[in-house]
Amino acid sequence: QVQLVESGGGLVQAGGSLRLSCAASGRTFSRNAMGWFRQAPGKEREFVAHVSRTGGSTYYTDSVKGRFTISRDNAKNTMFLQMNSLQLEDTAVYYCALFTGRDWTRDYDYNYWGQGTQVTVST
């Protein structure tokens, strides 16, 4: 069993920054790649970013490239999402998840999920 807990969400003005954290327990953290997804009101959950087991490879959806940075600290069983230059469209609940499948852009290839943390970007 794996437990994932996100933190770091909040209310921020457009152009501002937030850093999300995802703390993992119950399993050797470094065994799996990880990802961040988000879900805005009335929309489907969408892929945001993915990081390999070692942290050496990262992938992003086009809308966040150059603004968001995903990283992980395997010694602390924690993954991060640094979000800069936040835009109104980034408002959503952000989820971290453990990758266990083949397609890192698809949520059904992630088996364990956190409860989510709300990010709200205002004008």
Side-chain angles (χ1 to χ4, degrees):
Q1 190 71 12
V2 178
Q3 294 81 41
L4 302 174
V5 179
E6 302 96 337
S7 61
L11 176 63
V12 62
Q13 287 189 326
S17 299
L18 282 175
R19 189 190 195 204
L20 306 184
S21 298
C22 173
S25 62
R27 182 186 178 120
T28 303
F29 181 68
S30 61
R31 287 181 183 175
N32 293 83
M34 302 282 293
W36 286 98
F37 285 74
R38 66 186 180 187
Q39 187 167 21
K43 295 187 176 181
E44 294 187 352
R45 187 163 55 188
E46 65 170 350
F47 167 76
V48 176
H50 176 93
V51 62
S52 63
R53 288 179 295 172
T54 63
S57 297
T58 57
Y59 308 91
Y60 301 91
T61 192
D62 286 346
S63 63
V64 308
K65 284 180 182 177
R67 301 188 298 120
F68 289 11
T69 302
I70 188 172
S71 62
R72 65 191 295 165
D73 185 342
N74 286 344
K76 296 183 178 179
N77 284 4
T78 305
M79 178 178 67
F80 306 98
L81 186 68
Q82 177 67 44
M83 306 186 295
N84 298 330
S85 302
L86 282 161
Q87 303 169 356
L88 297 179
E89 308 83 74
D90 295 320
T91 295
V93 177
Y94 283 71
Y95 300 90
C96 65
L98 191 79
F99 182 66
T100 56
R102 295 188 175 188
D103 186 341
W104 38 261
T105 68
R106 301 297 184 183
D107 58 2
Y108 52 70
D109 273 345
Y110 292 77
N111 252 356
Y112 298 96
W113 294 80
Q115 82 290 347
T117 186
Q118 176 70 47
V119 172
T120 303
V121 183
S122 66
T123 56

